[in-house]
């Protein structure tokens, strides 16, 4: 495979952009090698600047539920652009978008649009703090909620000691207000809640985690979490930036059958453009300016192009109820193919899958939380990644990321991927 142009672009990019990329995981640091510069995408495929074609299982890290550049989203964008790109004044499509979102997600009675998932989660925590008059919140080790300061905290040593920043530039003050619990472990939550009685504004969680590999919350755990929040007056936030409209029509909250107080969205709801949203109970959302005192704003929020693309995506889902059955069938086919390969090769690597998002961990032990996920052999993942890439399969360049499939993936794509998977696992033994 010739990637000369990608190599020279990467050298050039590094002179002007830190690390040559505008988001760190794109640099291939955890798997080694040279990142590919992409020229175009169509359906299930991406083509790099050297003309190599790949079956893409990243889908821009989640948004491309219908594959790259679907005609109906392109049409919606072209139509919107005729009227202009931004007005900084209300437009009718923002109402349509809010109506459709609240209809698809019944726990969400009011919603505000923002420009990224990070903005959505950051704002959700702020409004929860404003609503409760409390300052601390709980997040789970291994869950990702974007890069706002308050989320870049990991557990310190010992269950009740303070968290520590995961990045320079994040203050100890932030670390003091962010408490860390263990995914799927209700006792770790209870300890924090009772040790910080009447001080916790919110608990935020990915109900299907997608940023420490893929894993689902246990039913009993999420139910107890809901109960604790009700008893203690804590705002329960589901971060559905990745899972919203990915794992089902009603998001992960439909699958786990629990209603959060607030939800956050992003990725799919932008149809490939930069969009986020947060929303939930009316009494909480009405704390936000200009109705209430909690400040939140955005020059380009509700941008007409982003709304056109996002609305087209959601409307397609709304009008095609069998959509997720088709996706599930494809995802199941791929998973079965992988499992078959693994049993033929005597390597029972752990696979978690929820709908069209999945992850094969390079460990043979059960993966249910951060601690079990990090048992994976990341060096072996790097080898697997490059074997797959050389056979034209583009996977996430890091072990703890999801593999996404879209409706554009064909049976031929999946068969080719299953064959490449067999070869790759065989070659890296
Ligand atoms: C991607 C993601 C975010 C951050 O969204 P950005 O648009 O990258 O800011 C937040 N939460 C979850 C669960 C995500 O997957």
């Amino acid at each position: 495979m010739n990637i000369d142009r990608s190599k020279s672009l990467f050298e050039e990019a590094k002179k002007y952009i830190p690390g040559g990329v505008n988001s760190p995981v794109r640099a291939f640091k955890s798997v080694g090698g040279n990142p590919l510069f992409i020229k175009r995408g169509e359906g299930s495929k991406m083509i790099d600047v050297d003309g190599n074609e790949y079956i893409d299982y990243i889908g821009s890290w989640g948004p491309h539920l219908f594959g790259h550049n679907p005609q109906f989203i392109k049409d919606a964008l072209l139509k919107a652009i005729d009227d202009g790109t931004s007005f900084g004044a209300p437009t009718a499509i923002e109402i349509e978008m809010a109506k459709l979102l609240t209809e698809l997600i019944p726990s969400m009675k009011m919603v505000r649009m923002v420009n990224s998932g990070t903005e959505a989660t950051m704002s959700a925590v702020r409004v929860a703090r404003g609503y409760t008059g409390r300052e601390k919140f709980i997040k789970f080790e291994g869950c990702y909620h974007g890069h706002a300061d308050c989320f870049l905290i990991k557990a310190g040593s010992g269950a009740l000691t303070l968290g520590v920043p995961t990045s320079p530039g994040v203050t100890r003050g932030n670390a003091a207000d962010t408490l860390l619990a263990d995914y799927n472990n209700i006792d770790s939550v209870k300890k924090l809640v009772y040790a910080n009685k009447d001080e916790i504004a919110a608990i935020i969680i990915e109900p299907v985690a997608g940023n420490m590999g893929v894993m689902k919350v246990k039913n009993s755990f999420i139910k107890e979490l809901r109960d604790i929040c009700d008893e203690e007056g804590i705002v329960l936030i589901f971060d559905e930036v990745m899972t919203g409209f990915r794992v089902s029509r009603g998001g992960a909250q439909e699958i786990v059958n629990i209603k959060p107080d607030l939800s956050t969205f992003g990725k799919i709801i932008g149809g490939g453009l930069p969009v986020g949203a947060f929303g939930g109970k009316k009494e909480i959302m009405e704390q936000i300016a200009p109705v209430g005192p909690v400040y939140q704003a955005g020059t380009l929020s509700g941008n007409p192009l982003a709304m056109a693309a996002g609305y087209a995506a959601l409307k397609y889902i709304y009008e095609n109820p069998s959509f997720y059955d088709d996706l599930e069938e494809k995802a199941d086919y791929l998973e079965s193919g992988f499992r078959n390969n693994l049993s033929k090769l005597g390597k029972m690597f752990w696979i978690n899958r929820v709908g069209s998002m999945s992850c094969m961990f390079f460990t043979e032990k059960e993966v249910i939380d951060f601690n079990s996920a990090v048992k994976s052999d990341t060096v072996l993942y790097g080898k697997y990644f490059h074997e797959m890439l050389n056979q034209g399969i583009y996977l996430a360049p890091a072990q703890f990321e999801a593999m996404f499939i879209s409706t554009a993936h064909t049976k031929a794509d999946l068969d080719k991927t299953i064959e490449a998977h067999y070869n790759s696992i065989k070659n890296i033994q």
Side-chain angles (χ1 to χ4, degrees):
M1 201 167 63
N2 179 351
I3 58 161
D4 289 349
R5 293 187 74 170
S6 278
K7 281 183 176 160
S8 68
L9 285 175
F10 191 43
E11 290 314 309
E12 179 87 355
K14 281 190 279 193
K15 292 182 202 156
Y16 308 104
I17 305 169
V21 291
N22 280 312
S23 194
V25 72
R26 296 178 197 169
F28 279 23
K29 257 189 121 169
S30 74
V31 291
N34 196 98
L36 301 169
F37 280 66
I38 302 302
K39 183 155 179 359
R40 56 186 301 268
E42 195 179 322
S44 60
K45 311 288 191 323
M46 276 203 312
I47 295 103
D48 71 13
V49 288
D50 291 282
N52 303 302
E53 188 179 284
Y54 308 88
I55 303 172
D56 176 26
Y57 287 98
I58 303 183
S60 190
W61 299 90
H64 292 325
L65 189 61
F66 316 98
H68 290 271
N69 218 4
Q71 191 63 44
F72 70 96
I73 290 184
K74 202 160 135 182
D75 289 345
L77 275 170
L78 290 172
K79 190 156 167 278
I81 210 166
D82 256 351
D83 290 328
T85 56
S86 178
F87 312 114
T91 55
I93 194 168
E94 291 166 83
I95 312 169
E96 295 306 310
M97 185 75 173
K99 267 166 110 173
L100 189 51
L101 272 170
T102 51
E103 188 165 344
L104 287 163
I105 308 291
S107 73
M108 195 158 73
K109 303 297 180 205
M110 283 189 135
V111 58
R112 178 159 279 178
M113 303 306 304
V114 292
N115 306 294
S116 67
T118 294
E119 267 187 75
T121 51
M122 178 185 92
S123 307
V125 168
R126 182 181 307 143
V127 71
R129 284 170 162 165
Y131 174 72
T132 56
R134 303 172 179 177
E135 298 198 349
K136 294 179 181 172
F137 75 97
I138 296 177
K139 80 175 279 288
F140 293 87
E141 191 90 276
C143 282
Y144 179 70
H145 306 292
H147 68 94
D149 287 0
C150 63
F151 298 118
L152 299 184
I153 311 292
K154 65 175 182 197
S157 52
L160 291 182
T161 59
L162 291 181
V164 290
T166 57
S167 165
V170 175
T171 63
R172 276 169 297 177
N174 268 292
D177 289 334
T178 304
L179 310 174
L180 271 295
D182 294 323
Y183 204 73
N184 277 331
N185 179 343
I186 203 69
D187 288 337
S188 73
V189 177
K190 283 182 183 162
K191 265 189 205 156
L192 292 172
V193 168
Y194 301 132
N196 298 273
K197 187 121 180 98
D198 299 328
E199 289 186 275
I200 296 173
I203 297 181
I204 186 167
I205 188 166
E206 292 177 79
V208 171
N211 291 289
M212 48 176 160
V214 172
M215 65 198 68
K216 190 168 164 248
V217 284
K218 291 179 182 155
N219 290 339
S220 57
F221 169 78
I222 197 76
K223 199 175 163 298
E224 280 194 78
L225 205 57
R226 178 68 273 181
D227 291 344
I228 290 172
C229 288
D230 288 340
E231 284 156 22
E232 300 293 327
I234 296 169
V235 176
L236 180 60
I237 307 171
F238 280 2
D239 182 356
E240 297 232 39
V241 171
M242 186 184 288
T243 54
F245 309 102
R246 164 62 61 186
V247 296
S248 84
R249 196 172 186 258
Q253 52 196 269
E254 182 176 85
I255 293 183
V256 302
N257 197 24
I258 293 285
K259 282 191 168 64
D261 302 306
L262 292 177
S263 305
T264 59
F265 295 91
K267 298 189 171 125
I268 287 170
I269 67 160
L273 272 78
V275 177
F278 67 103
K281 285 185 174 160
K282 204 170 170 186
E283 72 203 65
I284 303 177
M285 291 305 285
E286 285 192 330
Q287 293 297 311
I288 297 170
V291 213
V294 177
Y295 191 67
Q296 192 282 325
T299 301
L300 290 168
S301 292
N303 173 265
L305 298 187
M307 292 304 98
Y311 183 71
L314 294 183
K315 193 151 163 280
Y316 186 92
I317 290 166
Y318 186 72
E319 288 172 352
N320 293 277
S322 68
F323 180 82
Y324 290 95
D325 299 335
D326 299 343
L327 207 54
E328 172 65 26
E329 213 170 285
K330 285 180 179 171
D332 181 59
Y333 183 80
L334 191 67
E335 182 191 344
S336 305
F338 279 16
R339 287 193 189 278
N340 246 331
N341 289 343
L342 291 174
S343 81
K344 275 191 229 161
L345 294 164
K347 285 274 168 204
M348 293 320 290
F349 296 131
W350 192 266
I351 296 176
N352 280 335
R353 178 176 74 83
V354 182
S356 59
M357 56 192 272
S358 67
C359 182
M360 181 175 74
F361 296 88
F362 280 80
T363 167
E364 301 198 344
K365 304 232 170 69
E366 182 187 36
V367 177
I368 54 154
D369 57 13
F370 181 71
N371 286 327
S372 45
V374 296
K375 300 249 156 56
S376 302
D377 184 340
T378 54
V379 174
L380 204 56
Y381 181 84
K383 290 182 186 165
Y384 167 70
F385 167 84
H386 283 290
E387 287 280 340
M388 291 292 269
L389 195 63
N390 285 332
Q391 295 171 83
I393 313 294
Y394 191 80
L395 302 175
Q399 161 76 85
F400 304 110
E401 301 290 350
M403 179 179 190
F404 296 110
I405 72 168
S406 74
T407 46
H409 286 83
T410 62
K411 176 133 188 310
D413 289 334
L414 302 178
D415 285 333
K416 187 178 171 198
T417 307
I418 291 167
E419 193 188 326
H421 174 266
Y422 181 87
N423 297 335
S424 302
I425 299 292
K426 194 165 168 230
N427 290 346
I428 59 173
Q429 292 210 53

